[in-house]
Every structure is written in structure tokens, then in C-alpha cells.
Amino acid sequence: MTAWWSMFLIIGSTVISATASYLFKKASKSMWLQLITNFNFLGGIMLYIVSVAATIIAYKGGELTVLVPLGSLNYIWGSLIAVWLLNEKM
């Protein structure tokens, strides 16, 4: 049986991961040598670390057959962010 907190944690992890992807996209507009001081790049790395930690904790509380499909919400959030914040077309 998969715990509710585990499912909510996975969903939150996907939101954090999609936000990290958005920050990486914003950071990619700068020169490679400036990435070390780019706050979007550093924020993206930190958010990915938080997302991975949350995912690992969530996996302890449930079955993979339930949690892994929820992890694919990351693609939906990423697409919505791309359309809303980056004005990209689907």
C-alpha cells in the first residue's frame, strides 16, 4: 500500500524539478564561463538536489508501480512552464 504522503511528495518533487528545468533554460542564455556566478544555474542545481532527495524519501513510502507514473508529471509541468513563462509553442 502506498502512503498518501509519499504520493504528494512525488508530485511536489516533480514541480520542483520542472522549476529547476526552467531555471536552467534561463541560465542557458549566458556565456559558459559565467555559469559559475549565474544564480539561475546555481538555483537549478539546488532545486534538482532537493527534488532527488524528496523522490528518494517518497520511494520509501510506497510502491514503484504507483510512484513512478506520478513522476512523469514532470513533463506536464515542464510543458506548462514553457508555454506560460517562456512563451514557447506546443
Side-chain angles (χ1 to χ4, degrees):
M1 185 72 158
T2 301
W4 285 102
W5 65 266
S6 183
M7 290 189 278
F8 287 123
L9 192 58
I10 282 287
I11 293 170
S13 171
T14 62
V15 171
I16 293 169
S17 178
T19 304
S21 296
Y22 168 71
L23 291 177
F24 279 141
K25 173 75 173 183
K26 285 183 63 175
S28 69
K29 295 179 182 178
S30 69
M31 302 279 290
W32 282 101
L33 297 175
Q34 296 172 347
L35 285 179
I36 302 296
T37 59
N38 189 327
F39 291 113
N40 289 323
F41 180 72
L42 297 175
I45 289 175
M46 291 176 69
L47 286 179
Y48 266 132
I49 290 170
V50 170
S51 174
V52 168
T55 301
I56 291 170
I57 293 168
Y59 282 164
K60 286 183 163 188
E63 300 174 9
L64 291 179
T65 56
V66 175
L67 298 176
V68 171
L70 285 175
S72 63
L73 286 171
N74 187 28
Y75 299 109
I76 295 172
W77 306 141
S79 297
L80 292 175
I81 287 172
V83 170
W84 289 340
L85 298 178
L86 299 173
N87 296 321
E88 295 181 3
K89 295 183 181 183
M90 293 280 277

